[in-house]
Amino acid sequence: MSLQHVEDALRATAPPQNSALTTLRGDLPDRYLTPDDIAELFEVPKETVYQWRKKRTGPPGFRVGKHIRYDPAAVHRWACERMAADAV
């Protein structure tokens, strides 16, 4: 998966920069990503996403009740860090 593919997918979840919605939401993303979204984004099984979380090797997530959610910006940072580590 290329960085451009990740950036395009994450950009699709972000509101326009100068919209009233951006102001009202305080720069929060339009929606947080689910484990299904992460699995689809990186083309891995959902079980892999859960293993990443258990081993603390995947993108940082947080709980909302019983649900796991991911901040698109944090996922983007994690993907960039992984690509930089692979390049070394």
Side-chain angles (χ1 to χ4, degrees):
M1 170 173 291
S2 70
L3 176 60
Q4 187 63 43
H5 181 78
V6 172
E7 288 177 346
D8 290 345
L10 293 174
R11 194 174 299 114
T13 65
Q17 291 295 327
N18 295 322
S19 73
L21 181 61
T22 301
T23 302
L24 289 173
R25 294 178 58 85
D27 291 328
L28 290 174
D30 218 15
R31 76 175 185 88
Y32 289 98
L33 303 173
T34 66
D36 287 327
D37 294 328
I38 300 298
E40 183 178 337
L41 182 64
F42 292 104
E43 299 176 356
V44 298
K46 189 163 58 169
E47 185 57 36
T48 298
V49 176
Y50 288 126
Q51 288 299 314
W52 285 346
R53 180 162 168 78
K54 182 177 180 181
K55 295 176 182 177
R56 298 179 187 261
T57 60
F62 60 96
R63 284 199 170 278
V64 179
K66 66 179 183 174
H67 304 285
I68 304 296
R69 294 294 180 260
Y70 297 87
D71 183 342
V75 173
H76 183 259
R77 280 191 304 276
W78 175 82
C80 289
E81 289 167 5
R82 298 302 320 141
M83 285 185 270
D86 272 357
V88 173

